[in-house]
Amino acid sequence: MNFKNKKRREFIKKSLLIAGAGVITPGLSLANNNNYQIQSDAVVGHGDYKYKVDKNWAIQDPSRIPVNDCHEMVLDNMGRIFMTTTGVHNNNIIIYDRSGKVLDSWGKNFPGAHGLTIGNAAEEQFLFITDPETHKVFKTTLNGDILMTINTPKEFGGYTSDDLFKPTETAIGPNGDIYVADGYGENFIIQYTEKGEYIRHFGGKGNGTAEFDCCHGITLDNRNPENPTMLITSRAKQEFKRFTLDGEYIETIPLPGCSICRPVLHGDNLFFAVIVTKSWGAYDGMLAILDKSNRVISFPGGCEPKYQNGKLEEPIYDERTFLNPHDVLVDNDENLYVPQWYSGKTFPVKLHRV
């Protein structure tokens, strides 16, 4: 059983034991991929953020390019799209061009390949890959050469065994510092120098204002370049939390009904995948687009966003566009690319901006 299936089953068991404690009601049976139907050229989204669905963008021969759970995507300086997918085959990283053609694939050391972050060093780019299954974070070249490995942190007493470290995401600070989100583990954010030297940790699992319940995603928010911050998911609580670069809590941004993967910034807007709204045991999910004031302005794959007395109403899945979307990539033409997690091993979907 792979790591995500374990997490899904653990979640369902826990939710059944804690009746009424959570906002998500998991299904007792898993959906069948044969029920997945999306209209060709269907238009989704709201207001100025509408998109045409391209379900055939990345369809491949699964005997040559197999995928299991597809997790995250990034764009390099050459316009190539890198994606993480799980499994023991030699394509934990798949590289596409913007037409959906596979250019290359590599990686068999990351069977639980999850978070994917791209950064720059001098004139070269590099990747950070988080793998909660092997309990490691890897820094690699764009060709797959491993440059650095971050293991279970030993610098503080948060980890009594290596397997408690289950990192899900990384972010890179303005000075090159590395922030690791241990979203499936102990829910700490661990800050390192660019050489991998421990600086500090903050967060941890709990219900306090500066704690998390699944710090699944993290990104540097530099929309205010004079005061950059870290924006971090608390997925089970359906909210973002904002911290200083030194780990001081600033604010909480509630998004009821949205189990958030990772924050993705493009211009003044914040994008993210809502992996589920109601059920972890059936196909679900949509995308969300927020303006600079953290107000949802479009739900591609869901209902029109509505607010009641300043509070977001829980969105409703359209039951046809996505199968548990896990991330969203925005290209320079504002098209969206969406890898999907529990989706019957489907390939990513492209949304063309209209």
Side-chain angles (χ1 to χ4, degrees):
M1 185 187 301
N2 66 30
F3 180 79
K4 277 294 183 94
N5 285 335
K6 292 179 183 177
K7 294 299 293 183
R8 185 188 305 120
R9 294 189 182 187
E10 288 170 4
F11 182 93
I12 290 172
K13 288 180 181 178
K14 183 177 179 181
S15 298
L16 290 173
L17 290 172
I18 310 174
V23 295
I24 298 174
T25 303
L28 297 180
S29 62
L30 303 181
N32 188 314
N33 191 38
N34 292 332
N35 296 328
Y36 178 43
Q37 299 290 333
I38 58 175
Q39 300 172 1
S40 298
D41 300 327
V43 174
V44 297
H46 307 93
D48 293 332
Y49 294 88
K50 295 180 179 177
Y51 305 86
K52 185 179 291 185
V53 179
D54 185 350
K55 64 182 180 179
N56 296 314
W57 174 72
I59 296 298
Q60 307 293 328
D61 178 356
S63 67
R64 293 192 311 108
I65 308 292
V67 296
N68 288 329
D69 299 318
C70 298
H71 282 135
E72 295 190 351
M73 300 174 108
V74 295
L75 188 70
D76 78 353
N77 289 338
M78 298 172 60
R80 299 177 300 173
I81 297 170
F82 289 68
M83 183 185 75
T84 49
T85 184
T86 56
V88 295
H89 35 268
N90 191 30
N91 68 330
N92 295 147
I93 299 292
I94 300 176
I95 306 171
Y96 296 95
D97 68 13
R98 287 173 55 182
S99 74
K101 178 184 176 182
V102 172
L103 302 175
D104 197 3
S105 63
W106 50 261
K108 58 183 177 182
N109 296 315
F110 329 112
H114 192 276
L116 187 63
T117 304
I118 193 164
N120 296 280
E123 296 181 356
E124 295 185 9
Q125 290 190 291
F126 57 85
L127 300 172
F128 276 106
I129 304 166
T130 63
D131 186 347
E133 188 169 317
T134 62
H135 316 289
K136 298 178 186 295
V137 179
F138 301 91
K139 179 181 179 180
T140 76
T141 67
L142 299 189
N143 294 322
D145 297 324
I146 296 176
L147 303 173
M148 180 171 64
T149 302
I150 296 175
N151 297 295
T152 304
K154 304 295 186 182
E155 294 84 356
F156 63 100
Y159 296 90
T160 56
S161 64
D162 288 346
D163 60 3
L164 294 177
F165 184 53
K166 300 172 184 176
T168 50
E169 189 64 79
T170 58
I172 303 169
N175 64 348
D177 282 357
I178 306 158
Y179 295 76
V180 177
D182 185 22
Y184 289 154
E186 299 300 284
N187 276 258
F188 289 110
I189 307 298
I190 306 105
Q191 183 179 352
Y192 299 89
T193 69
E194 62 182 343
K195 295 181 180 180
E197 301 160 330
Y198 171 83
I199 299 175
R200 65 172 59 88
H201 66 280
F202 57 94
K205 188 172 180 62
N207 296 315
T209 56
E211 296 174 317
F212 303 100
D213 193 349
C214 190
C215 56
H216 186 274
I218 181 171
T219 198
L220 174 70
D221 187 346
N222 56 6
R223 287 176 290 182
N224 179 357
E226 296 182 358
N227 187 30
T229 58
M230 282 293 161
L231 195 59
I232 306 169
T233 303
S234 187
R235 191 170 75 180
K237 296 293 186 184
Q238 301 182 335
E239 60 194 17
F240 284 120
K241 295 193 176 188
R242 188 182 304 279
F243 288 77
T244 70
L245 301 185
D246 295 330
E248 297 296 322
Y249 170 81
I250 299 173
E251 67 170 339
T252 296
I253 304 166
L255 291 156
C258 299
S259 291
I260 307 160
C261 284
R262 74 159 162 179
V264 175
L265 292 168
H266 183 81
D268 284 338
N269 292 330
L270 173 63
F271 294 72
F272 61 84
V274 179
I275 193 168
V276 300
T277 60
K278 298 294 181 186
S279 175
W280 288 93
Y283 295 137
D284 197 352
M286 63 190 70
L287 305 181
I289 305 169
L290 283 65
D291 63 17
K292 201 170 183 179
S293 65
N294 299 319
R295 186 177 181 88
V296 180
I297 52 179
S298 182
F299 272 133
C303 66
E304 182 177 358
K306 296 180 180 178
Y307 282 79
Q308 187 71 248
N309 298 322
K311 181 179 179 181
L312 177 68
E313 294 185 3
E314 294 190 7
I316 300 172
Y317 171 48
D318 69 7
E319 299 186 0
R320 64 184 174 89
T321 302
F322 295 117
L323 305 175
N324 306 110
H326 194 278
D327 190 28
V328 55
L329 168 67
V330 190
D331 72 14
N332 295 332
D333 295 322
E334 301 191 348
N335 303 308
L336 309 182
Y337 305 81
V338 185
Q340 303 186 111
W341 164 58
Y342 166 55
S343 65
K345 302 184 179 183
T346 61
F347 294 94
V349 175
K350 181 175 181 178
L351 303 187
H352 299 264
R353 180 76 184 268
V354 297

